[in-house]
Amino acid sequence: DRARHEQELEAFAQSMVELLGDQDAKRLACPVYWKKPCLCIQSHIKGTGDAEDGCHSRALQILALLKEAKVLSTQKCYDLSTVQLQGKMKKPVVGLGNGQRKSREFEEFVLTNRKVLREELKLCERACQRILGYSNNFLHKRLITDPQKKERIERTKGKRTLGLLKPITDLWKNRCCLDNCVVMAHTHWQLLQDWRERARSGQAEARRVLAEMLTPSGGGRCNCYKFIMWVTGCSQSTISKVSDQMKKTGGKREPPPHGLKKW
């Protein structure tokens, strides 16, 4: 099924290029496949079986957004013409961490149009990222260079975000596995609380916490997934990814280098 999805995805992307006469139109297709293909962009462009003019018009609208985002994404938070040059290579001095910061115009463009794509056109998050050219970090990461600035959008999913995690002191009342990991809530409650607080601070730190909780002690035993989810609020898939990464690296706890996915 996945192989067929890839073929259909490529065929649809090529049809968009031919329809609009623009190579950028090959991005007008949602690549997400989770149990079944998403197809949100494709479904929006095709509509409900109306005339080809309608499909062409909808495709042009999304392509226009993609192109404008592409132009704005090249703009930085500083004006290069006013930046001082320094050193033998005459490199611009823009301040630590500001080299890759996007412009205010790009930020406003993404936040405004993401809301339209998500709420009105019902596109998935990955499709929005594909069209508007932003990442999860753009939405959620707090910049070291601007510590007073909050995340650009608030998280709306997950027990940790919604405040649905049980208090650490109540975890012992539930049974998680045969090894009864929840006993730690009696003996090491402060450690569990520290893990929970660290997991809230960001994705990278959450992965470090998971790595610590997955480190075996006394042979091959480590905390069970259910207990880790109760403490950190992380999903089973995230815990599984960290576990696999530790097995491949011989127990290395640091998260792997972040490679931006090209949606």
Side-chain angles (χ1 to χ4, degrees), residues 168-205:
I168 295 296
T169 52
D170 290 344
L171 291 182
W172 65 270
K173 298 177 182 178
N174 303 277
R175 187 171 180 82
C176 57
C177 64
L178 291 175
D179 291 322
N180 213 18
C181 306
V182 291
V183 172
M184 284 188 68
H186 268 313
T187 59
H188 295 72
W189 59 270
Q190 186 59 58
L191 174 62
L192 299 184
Q193 189 63 47
D194 291 343
W195 273 338
R196 177 172 287 183
E197 293 301 323
R198 286 172 55 198
R200 285 175 178 164
S201 63
Q203 292 183 6
E205 191 62 24

Side-chain angles (χ1 to χ4, degrees), residues 14-211:
Q14 186 58 38
S15 70
M16 288 294 100
V17 172
E18 295 173 358
L19 177 65
L20 302 177
D22 192 311
Q23 285 299 317
D24 284 341
K26 64 184 178 183
R27 297 184 63 81
L28 303 187
C30 178
V32 175
Y33 189 102
W34 176 248
K35 295 184 179 180
K36 63 178 182 179
C38 177
L39 305 177
C40 58
I41 299 179
Q42 295 92 311
S43 299
H44 170 70
I45 292 176
K46 291 178 181 177
T48 55
D50 53 2
E52 185 176 339
D53 289 343
C55 297
H56 187 270
S57 175
R58 287 188 290 271
L60 272 179
Q61 289 176 347
I62 298 180
L63 181 62
L65 283 177
L66 189 151
K67 284 190 167 297
E68 188 171 356
K70 194 174 181 180
V71 172
L72 290 175
S73 68
T74 62
Q75 300 176 8
K76 303 301 180 184
C77 64
Y78 53 86
D79 185 357
L80 190 59
S81 62
T82 62
V83 171
Q84 293 182 346
L85 300 180
Q86 181 175 297
K88 294 181 179 180
M89 303 300 292
K90 297 297 181 182
K91 293 183 178 180
V93 181
V94 297
L96 182 63
N98 286 330
Q100 299 301 320
R101 281 186 67 180
K102 304 295 184 182
S103 66
R104 182 67 181 174
E105 289 77 10
F106 176 75
E107 181 177 332
E108 292 176 351
F109 177 82
V110 167
L111 296 180
T112 300
N113 288 285
R114 176 184 177 274
K115 187 174 183 179
V116 174
L117 295 178
R118 293 284 284 155
E119 297 180 5
E120 296 182 17
L121 304 190
K122 306 300 181 184
L123 302 189
C124 71
E125 179 60 32
R126 293 293 181 254
C128 293
Q129 292 181 8
R130 187 176 177 88
I131 294 168
L132 300 178
Y134 65 91
S135 65
N136 281 332
N137 273 347
F138 175 83
L139 294 180
H140 302 294
K141 190 173 184 179
R142 297 181 182 180
L143 299 177
I144 297 177
T145 52
D146 193 359
Q148 301 301 321
K149 191 171 185 178
K150 298 181 179 179
E151 298 174 355
R152 291 184 173 97
I153 65 168
E154 294 184 1
R155 296 182 182 273
T156 57
K157 294 182 179 180
K159 288 187 176 181
R160 185 173 61 209
T161 301
L162 299 175
L164 300 178
L165 291 179
K166 295 180 180 179
I168 295 296
T169 52
D170 290 344
L171 291 182
W172 65 270
K173 298 177 182 178
N174 303 277
R175 187 171 180 82
C176 57
C177 64
L178 291 175
D179 291 322
N180 213 18
C181 306
V182 291
V183 172
M184 284 188 68
H186 268 313
T187 59
H188 295 72
W189 59 270
Q190 186 59 58
L191 174 62
L192 299 184
Q193 189 63 47
D194 291 343
W195 273 338
R196 177 172 287 183
E197 293 301 323
R198 286 172 55 198
R200 285 175 178 164
S201 63
Q203 292 183 6
E205 191 62 24
R207 292 180 75 98
R208 293 187 184 97
V209 170
L210 296 180

